[in-house]
Amino acid sequence: MTDHTWLERAVALAVANVAAGGGPFGALVVRDGELVSEGINRVTPDLDPTAHAEVVAIRRACAALGDFSLEGCTLYSSCEPCPMCVSASLWSRLDAVVYAADRDDAARGGFDDRAIYDLLGADRATWPMTVAAVPLGERFAPFEAWLGNDARTPY
């Protein structure tokens, strides 16, 4: 199957999800030409703001493959991934992300993430929520425990 075919499938998932009362997003994880997982936007039914189609597909792919790394896989998404989904894609070590609609299409459809893209580059003092460090003497203790654990699994 081609990128075009996988994207058509992701778009069809998104359209079907809208018909079922969900959001207009669908995603697939593919490895070696084989479908590993599918994901649809589950934000409202799961009451989970992180349950974007891409994140759902990544979670399912990791479970199916028994690994937190998706090296060798491609994520196909009906729409350009938002900043959270791009981050999840990077953390999961996907080889590639391929999408159909772009961020301008998403904005036109009522899902404008441009403010988040802009916010990430802005001074935190201007953010609409406080994100602040509190100096704590034992702040490095979790990392010391991690570094001292010879049985740890690096990721």
Side-chain angles (χ1 to χ4, degrees):
M1 292 179 57
T2 66
D3 287 349
H4 188 85
T5 307
W6 289 119
L7 285 174
E8 285 178 336
R9 188 165 175 168
V11 168
L13 276 174
V15 171
N17 196 42
V18 170
F25 302 98
L28 316 167
V29 174
V30 174
R31 182 164 79 179
D32 298 327
E34 298 291 324
L35 179 67
V36 177
S37 69
E38 295 180 340
I40 53 173
N41 184 281
R42 304 267 325 146
V43 171
T44 54
D46 292 355
L47 304 177
D48 179 354
T50 69
H52 290 198
E54 297 89 343
V55 172
V56 171
I58 288 168
R59 289 174 181 162
R60 290 178 178 169
C62 289
L65 297 173
D67 199 342
F68 56 80
S69 174
L70 296 179
E71 289 183 46
C73 296
T74 298
L75 175 73
Y76 291 93
S77 180
S78 63
C79 187
E80 180 178 0
C82 74
M84 176 184 70
C85 294
V86 168
S87 296
S89 298
L90 290 165
W91 277 111
S92 66
R93 297 176 179 88
L94 286 159
D95 285 5
V97 174
V98 181
Y99 58 88
D102 65 19
R103 65 181 75 177
D104 295 321
D105 294 322
R108 201 173 78 230
F111 294 86
D112 193 350
D113 294 332
R114 285 179 282 212
I116 298 172
Y117 283 102
D118 293 344
L119 182 68
L120 293 173
D123 183 331
R124 283 189 183 173
T126 65
W127 286 22
M129 69 176 189
T130 302
V131 178
V134 175
L136 194 62
E138 55 275 356
R139 71 183 178 270
F140 198 73
F143 299 108
E144 287 174 340
W146 171 257
L147 293 170
N149 180 357
D150 292 334
R152 71 182 179 267
T153 302
Y155 62 95

